[in-house]
Amino acid sequence: MHILTGTASWTDPTLLACGRFYPRDVRTPEARLRYYATQFHLLEVDATYYRLLDARVAHAWAQRTPEDFAFHVKAHRLFTGHPAPTQDLPGDIQQELAGQTKLFYHQLPRELQEELWRRFLIALEPLRLAGKLHAIHFQFAPWIQRGARGMALLRECQRYMDEHVMSVEFRHRSWFSTKTASAWTLDVLREANMVHTVVDAPQGFDNTVPALWDATHPDLAVVRLHGRNADAWGNNTGASSGRFQYEYSPEELAELAQSIKRLAERVRNTHVVLNTNYQDQGMRNAAGLAAALRNTPALP
């Protein structure tokens, strides 16, 4: 049983501003990553969701972390059904899209789709070659529903993942709305060798799914904890809206630890990402969960 815990951000502005996680003399990106890696052995990169990465940055991350450090990298938002401002794309691609301010993946010419994938994956090569890229995480848009269109997008992403582990997080309840739908979705992921992402999030919304504690990949299970801030979940203005502001109680962490341990018995590696990114909540939640995992016995 091998379980890693970590966070979905290490440079969030509110984290840096609060001054509670990093020592005062840790001020540069390099120093912050090196310090983070002394506290946790797993990190999810979200910068790649917004912009294409430079391979030199990925190389630096590989050099600044221990040999056994694990990265998860979020897929670019265009690949997961979200729109992207053209100003966030590389300059030469912007020129090809002159006159457009925001677009979806399906609005791109096929040659530009291919080029974006090529650049996205090439930039990750330093992490892959270092053995530190453990998953590329696809957080699909909340309007991507179970059905022909949703499956077409899933298969499109799968085409490019031959050399990578693909973890999948759905954000529309249709994928797990009934037992039949849940079984069908898990079978799809299992047959495609994709990782089902177990989520902990407020329930009762179209853009949340239940925490379905199952594994679809023999080597990896992924758990993402978004907090349980139901009052703010409907706000869609980003992290500052309060959606991901949540501190798990010791009782909640103990309960989660039991479920995680049971899941971990079924796979070789289990990675748990805290997506509660306000100030140092992610770090405190991740450390608290790690302690709960050490101290809480798994139920039979």
Side-chain angles (χ1 to χ4, degrees), residues 254 257-258 261 287-298:
Q258 291 177 348
K261 281 192 169 182
L289 178 61
L293 286 165
R294 289 192 298 269
N295 300 326
T296 305

Side-chain angles (χ1 to χ4, degrees), residues 192-245:
N193 212 31
M194 299 175 186
V195 177
H196 160 63
T197 300
V198 181
V199 297
D200 184 74
Q203 296 300 295
F205 300 88
D206 282 346
N207 65 342
T208 58
V209 297
L212 199 61
W213 294 90
D214 208 337
T216 58
H217 192 286
D219 293 324
L220 181 65
V222 174
V223 180
R224 294 183 88 230
L225 307 180
H226 299 300
R228 300 174 180 179
N229 192 346
D231 291 339
W233 190 259
N235 300 333
N236 292 313
T237 55
S240 61
S241 68
R243 296 178 70 200
F244 304 109
Q245 293 184 26

Side-chain angles (χ1 to χ4, degrees), residues 132-280:
K132 295 183 179 183
L133 181 57
H134 286 235
I136 299 179
H137 186 71
F138 288 75
Q139 179 187 301
F140 287 99
W143 46 84
I144 303 301
Q145 302 184 32
R146 186 172 75 95
R149 290 185 179 180
M151 281 300 301
L153 182 57
L154 187 68
R155 296 301 187 200
E156 170 73 358
C157 296
Q158 183 188 9
R159 290 179 57 224
Y160 299 91
M161 290 293 105
D162 285 347
E163 296 183 340
H164 302 279
V165 175
M166 177 178 175
S167 60
V168 174
E169 180 179 353
F170 295 114
R171 287 286 184 92
H172 191 274
R173 62 185 182 89
S174 60
W175 295 91
F176 302 106
S177 58
T178 65
K179 288 185 178 181
T180 300
S182 297
W184 181 89
T185 299
L186 292 175
D187 283 344
V188 166
L189 297 178
R190 192 172 287 114
E191 290 168 8
N193 212 31
M194 299 175 186
V195 177
H196 160 63
T197 300
V198 181
V199 297
D200 184 74
Q203 296 300 295
F205 300 88
D206 282 346
N207 65 342
T208 58
V209 297
L212 199 61
W213 294 90
D214 208 337
T216 58
H217 192 286
D219 293 324
L220 181 65
V222 174
V223 180
R224 294 183 88 230
L225 307 180
H226 299 300
R228 300 174 180 179
N229 192 346
D231 291 339
W233 190 259
N235 300 333
N236 292 313
T237 55
S240 61
S241 68
R243 296 178 70 200
F244 304 109
Q245 293 184 26
Y246 192 80
E247 188 161 351
Y248 283 92
S249 69
E251 293 76 19
E252 289 171 330
L253 292 175
E255 176 189 358
L256 285 165
Q258 291 177 348
S259 297
I260 291 166
K261 281 192 169 182
R262 283 196 293 264
L263 178 67
E265 291 174 351
R266 306 172 60 181
V267 294
R268 295 185 182 91
N269 299 282
T270 301
H271 292 178
V272 186
V273 176
L274 273 298
N275 191 36
T276 50
N277 293 326
Y278 180 68
Q279 296 187 354
D280 62 337

Side-chain angles (χ1 to χ4, degrees), residues 84-145:
T86 53
Q87 66 182 21
D88 290 344
L89 298 175
D92 60 327
I93 292 180
Q94 289 184 41
Q95 292 178 7
E96 295 283 338
L97 300 169
Q100 299 190 60
T101 58
K102 182 181 284 191
L103 45 71
F104 288 87
Y105 181 79
H106 69 269
Q107 296 172 310
L108 289 166
R110 188 63 189 174
E111 61 269 20
L112 289 186
Q113 293 175 351
E114 296 279 356
E115 182 62 15
L116 284 173
W117 277 106
R118 187 186 71 82
R119 296 189 192 187
F120 174 76
L121 293 172
I122 284 177
L124 300 181
E125 276 297 281
L127 288 178
R128 187 183 73 86
L129 293 174
K132 295 183 179 183
L133 181 57
H134 286 235
I136 299 179
H137 186 71
F138 288 75
Q139 179 187 301
F140 287 99
W143 46 84
I144 303 301
Q145 302 184 32

